[in-house]
Amino acid sequence: MNYLTKQNNLTNISFSFGRLISSLAITGNPSVVRVKTVEHADVFDPLHFFNDNTKTIHYTVKNSKVLHAHLLKSDLLRSDIFYANTLLDWYCKSSSMDNALKLFVTIPDPNVISWNIMVSGYNNRCLFDDSWRFFHRMVSLGFEPNEFTYGSVLSACTALQATMSGMQVYAFVMKNGFFSNGYVRAGMIDFFTKNRGFDEALRVFWDVSCENVVCWNTIISGAVRNEEYWVALDLFRQMCHRFLVPNSFTFSSVLSACAALGELEMGKGVQARVIKCGAKDVFLGTAIVDLYAKCGELDEAEKEFTRMPIRNVVSWTAIISGFVQKGDSFSALKFFKEMIYARVEINSYTLTSVITACAKPYMIKEAMEMHSWILKTRFYLDPVVGAALINMYAKIGAIDLSEKVFRGMENFKTPGIWTVMVSSFAQNESSLKAVGLLQRMLSEGLRPDTYCISSVLSVTDSLDLGRQIHCYVLKAGLIFYLPVSSSLLTLYSKCGSLGESHKVFDQMTIRDNVSWASMIVGFAEHGFAYFAFQLFREMILEGTRSDQIILAAILKACSAHPFLKKGKEIHGYALRAGISDETVVGGALVTMYSKCCALKLARRVFDMLPLRDQVSCAFLISSYAQNGLIEEAILLFHELLKSDMAIDSFILSSVLRAISLLSRPGIGTQLHSRITKMGLESDTSVGSSLVVTYSKCGSIEDCCKAFEQIDKPDFISWTALITSYAQHGKGAEALKAYELMRKEGNRPDSVTFVGVLSACSHNGLVEDGYFHFNSMAKDYGIEPNNRHYACMVDLLGRAGRLKEAEKFIKSMPIEPDALVWGTLLAACKVHGNIELGRLAAGKVTELEPSDAGAYVSLSNIYADFGHWEEAQEVRSQMRGIGVKKEPGWSFM
């Protein structure tokens, strides 16, 4: 054993001339001394050659061949295994495994060291299959492997992820008694960590008491790799209690665990141990920088970074990624520029971090500069960098540039690139392009992953297409992946197919809180609140812990119907769970109480929130306005301004709706000025609300100006303008606006057609009114409701075609309501049609007995024609049933 150990040391470490002579004396026949006096300087001495070249580490193929030639000439290869093994090692270290193999087969009697050199040589060249084959051949020829053999072959099995082969080596180790050897045990622990699971690796580690630091380092790093961070920290604690001295590798792994957990104070304690031990190297310094960066302490991270005497690419990437994570893109770019000036080698990980920093709408210039720099380097062909560029442009909103990058890389046939492009289309709501690209993937033989399928399902609103994707998911075996099944049930819920959605939910083997919340929201949004509550109870009985997402979902069910009592019960549950004051739950409670018209409770919850979000503020303001509490809505908005809360477009839209009910143009103008200062006048929702506000305040000119300031008007903006024109009697302008809206590619909705039909009514365009009314169902699939029928009745009534209006009402496929009959009654008053007016008034009072307007209108019709007795009789009927006409009032 001593013989083998000394030989192996000679093949793996540098040695001096004197040590070499003593080694030679051992490796051969002890009675023969091989040291001879060199009489001539030109005589080749292999010992001098070994010594000189080992010191300068010139393991080149040329030097190896020179040595090979001289050893052949002197016949030392056949007579001395030491020279053969040394030359074999030189070939391996010079990456010439073919020459090493040729030499190996010529060695008359190779020993264990010869085999070890070949096995480790293949390992070092990442030729792990060859390493395993050589080990198998070695064992089959009867050679007994030693600890170095087992260590090398275990590394090969680990790299190959060859579980069965690794288990065979493990059996050999147990059988031959090398289990307690630290070098072999470290290899076994590493193998089990990467191939058999961390629990088995931990069992192997604890099977034998070990004081070897390498084994401890291996199990700690394995815990970190498997995201068992607390286990890694506990192992480190036990290691210190055993008075084992951690090294840089130990500290680096433990600091990584602290960084992943966000345990800054614990990390500082480890750093103190590092300073005490005097451990210093670039990897340890990088781990400390990464700790501070991931814990958000960028100032400290920068200080530690500047103190590092040597920085590698990992160090620079750690500090850049820290700034990116913190959202400080400009600092990340500054460090990247410094990295370029320092001529540090840049890798794809660095670039993806910098590209992520540029993925912001206001950094389009920096993004394109970064792209230009990449095109000048070799990285433009890297699929990982290409995917990051596609994602960057998608987040900026420049999806056309994402497509250009993709077209330049689609020939790589890398599924990851295609998946990123599909998700980019999904992010930008380009559902047709996302589905089209998925179809291309399948036709070209690429297998989409779970993320790709989930992205397509998230933007799909077609039930038929969803079912087709569902079939593919079942065929490909992706249904058992949580993101895919969750996306499927959400799709079915969105399309109104709750039966299929619930079927997918029942078949899910694993349900996370998002899937429970999706199913609850699906039931709530489609009017099945009872099932939503039943599902919530089922979830609690299964032992699933409710979080903010689920409670917000069930509160949404309470808001939709509304169920105030149930909402209070959920509020109590949230209080017991200790999450009632969380932002998401608190906002959902405010919304629920607001929609249930319990505004005092809504305000009480709102005032108790430690952090108020924009959504809850907007809902409360909107609820105040809808319930006629305009002053409270404006005061709340003023309070938000004084508290320096960030005001978004949603809040501003809610305030504008409240102001529009006041018909006070002065307040609207003041708010418009503030909106202009904030730069939100071009926002679609804010601009649309300004249009409505000015319209209700009677200023159609300001209404048009507000519309012109909108950057990209959507159908809501156009509808607001059309309705405003119609309400101000500008029918022709309303119809022109409608045609412009269609040319811009905006699809009208039912509210748009109310404005269009009202415009036709004000201009007396009966034929145009019929055309647009029929166009609703024919061209856009919108079924008319009572408001649309009332507009048509108003159109016919203004044109004096009362009989046609009556016939139109009788032909309605839905039951006419009081609004339709009331519109006909108003037309009868204008044109003095007593008989039809009496019929219309009877229908209105039948549907809404407490409606004073119908009685008054009929009474006025009688009075206009001098039928005073009938008029008085109608007034008597009003007094008899207790209907009172509210007196009119004015701001003036």
Side-chain angles (χ1 to χ4, degrees), residues 87-121:
L87 179 58
L88 192 66
D89 187 46
W90 274 45
Y91 274 129
C92 289
K93 287 180 178 176
S94 60
S95 304
S96 182
M97 294 306 298
D98 290 338
N99 286 318
L101 183 59
K102 288 176 183 177
L103 173 63
F104 181 83
V105 297
T106 64
I107 299 174
D109 295 308
N111 59 13
V112 174
I113 296 173
S114 312
W115 290 94
N116 284 353
I117 290 171
M118 290 300 294
V119 171
S120 63

Side-chain angles (χ1 to χ4, degrees), residues 839-858:
L839 171 67
K843 291 289 185 181
V844 173
T845 55
E846 179 184 334
L847 292 168
E848 293 187 6
S850 60
D851 184 7
Y855 292 100
V856 172
S857 295
L858 183 59

Side-chain angles (χ1 to χ4, degrees), residues 602-657:
R603 185 57 187 266
R604 190 183 301 172
V605 173
F606 180 81
D607 289 337
M608 292 170 64
L609 288 176
L611 290 173
R612 299 168 180 176
D613 65 333
Q614 285 90 344
V615 176
S616 58
C617 296
F619 262 112
L620 189 54
I621 291 170
S622 181
S623 298
Y624 276 140
Q626 290 171 8
N627 287 275
L629 303 172
I630 311 300
E631 185 177 350
E632 283 82 351
I634 295 173
L635 286 174
L636 177 57
F637 176 66
H638 189 255
E639 183 182 325
L640 297 178
L641 291 175
K642 288 195 296 184
S643 65
D644 292 329
M645 180 178 179
I647 306 298
D648 64 356
S649 56
F650 192 22
I651 293 177
L652 288 171
S653 299
S654 300
V655 177
L656 285 168
R657 281 195 292 271

